[in-house]
Amino acid sequence: MSAFTLLGSGGWIPTPRRETTCALLSLPQALFIFDAGTGLSLLLEEKFRRELEPEREIHIFLSHYHLDHVAGLVYLPAMLKGRRVHLHPPAADITGIDPGATVAELVRKPFNPTSLEEMPVDITVEPLGEGCHDIAGTQVRARKQIHADASAAWRVDDLIVFATDTAADLGTAVFAEDVRLLVHEAWIDGIEEEDPATEQIAREAYLAHTSARQAAGLAKDAHAGRLVMCHLSPVRSPAYHRQMLASARSIFPDTYIMEDGESLAL
Ligand SMILES: [Zn+2]
Ligand SMILES: [Zn+2]
């Protein structure tokens, strides 16, 4: 049995309700972690300790290097001291930049007491490019997405597609075809497009992000089993997020917003 847990459902700024992006896919043979935002801190909670059992491999997949997706890398010694961790940033064919050098820049003095290499966690940096990879006996695919700095979407078998920090992209629906769970960002509702007073908000958002309506359209086109919207905006109210959910459900009924720490079986 596999399970999906959203540890950080927000984007940009951590709030008391929503930490920044981090998700777990718990497989029998491995623990896959998608992004290392501040939500990674939830692994300190007792109820998630069992996810870190030593017999399973641990793989972290990064969508991109914006700080709300990587801030948690410096937390790793708190929960994984002495453990082996496979870190998979997107390769240069996706981002156009050197993944090893970029990760080393993120974790180094004077921003952190140690470099990535000196941390008491055995981290191996194993970048993954576009296409299909065998990771812990599982088929993992990467796809380049459109963002302010290019990002990667990840697909694991037919279980999950994790696509955050991306403009709406019809290719994502093909990438996510028949997947059980599409986890996709939703930064605004999308109703903004329809009003000249707010249309500019939508136009700016769509350069790098997706609306709830667009995410629901992608889930529908992909024939996904369900859609979880993530990377919610911290400057929007809970009422606005409820409106996003209603908008998305009018297009794709099996849409959900999860709270931090919530899990679902796959
Ligand atoms: Zn982000
Ligand atoms: Zn970003």
Side-chain angles (χ1 to χ4, degrees), residues 68-69 165 231:
D68 55 326
H69 300 259
D165 291 53
H231 202 266

Side-chain angles (χ1 to χ4, degrees), residues 174-219:
V174 178
F175 185 66
E177 200 175 341
D178 294 326
V179 78
R180 268 188 241 174
L181 172 63
L182 172 60
V183 182
H184 199 290
E185 72 139 273
W187 192 242
I188 61 170
D189 176 88
I191 197 172
E192 291 83 354
E193 307 176 32
E194 294 166 12
D195 182 346
T198 54
E199 186 224 11
Q200 181 62 19
I201 293 171
R203 210 173 319 139
E204 282 172 13
Y206 292 163
L207 292 174
H209 292 290
T210 301
S211 72
R213 292 158 194 239
Q214 290 173 328
L218 292 171

Side-chain angles (χ1 to χ4, degrees), residues 21-215:
T21 310
C22 186
L24 305 181
L25 176 64
S26 188
L27 301 168
Q29 76 282 16
L31 178 67
F32 286 1
I33 302 174
F34 296 97
D35 278 348
T38 63
L40 193 82
S41 62
L42 270 70
L43 286 176
L44 288 173
E45 291 182 14
E46 194 56 41
K47 63 178 172 175
F48 296 117
R49 282 276 156 190
R50 64 186 159 74
E51 297 288 1
L52 305 175
E53 292 156 355
E55 56 271 22
R56 291 195 302 172
E57 290 184 14
I58 296 175
H59 295 261
I60 302 176
F61 302 87
L62 298 180
S63 62
H64 64 315
Y65 304 104
H66 287 172
L67 291 175
D68 55 326
H69 300 259
V70 297
L73 289 175
V74 299
Y75 310 162
L76 290 174
M79 57 242 351
L80 289 167
K81 198 171 184 180
R83 294 283 303 277
R84 180 102 191 265
V85 173
H86 304 264
L87 179 63
H88 303 289
D93 65 335
I94 294 174
T95 61
I97 53 175
D98 179 339
T102 307
V103 169
E105 274 292 292
L106 284 170
V107 185
R108 69 167 174 85
K109 281 178 174 295
F111 311 115
N112 192 61
T114 66
S115 67
L116 192 75
E117 278 177 5
E118 290 160 349
M119 282 208 302
V121 182
D122 181 12
I123 299 175
T124 55
V125 180
E126 301 163 18
L128 298 174
E130 277 205 296
C132 198
H133 311 273
D134 186 314
I135 305 291
T138 306
Q139 202 181 74
V140 175
R141 274 181 269 173
R143 180 177 188 274
K144 180 177 179 174
Q145 303 285 140
I146 303 158
H147 189 48
D149 294 288
S151 61
W154 301 99
R155 176 172 178 142
V156 181
D157 283 338
D158 288 331
L159 289 175
I160 179 178
V161 164
F162 182 82
T164 190
D165 291 53
T166 173
D169 176 352
L170 293 177
T172 308
V174 178
F175 185 66
E177 200 175 341
D178 294 326
V179 78
R180 268 188 241 174
L181 172 63
L182 172 60
V183 182
H184 199 290
E185 72 139 273
W187 192 242
I188 61 170
D189 176 88
I191 197 172
E192 291 83 354
E193 307 176 32
E194 294 166 12
D195 182 346
T198 54
E199 186 224 11
Q200 181 62 19
I201 293 171
R203 210 173 319 139
E204 282 172 13
Y206 292 163
L207 292 174
H209 292 290
T210 301
S211 72
R213 292 158 194 239
Q214 290 173 328

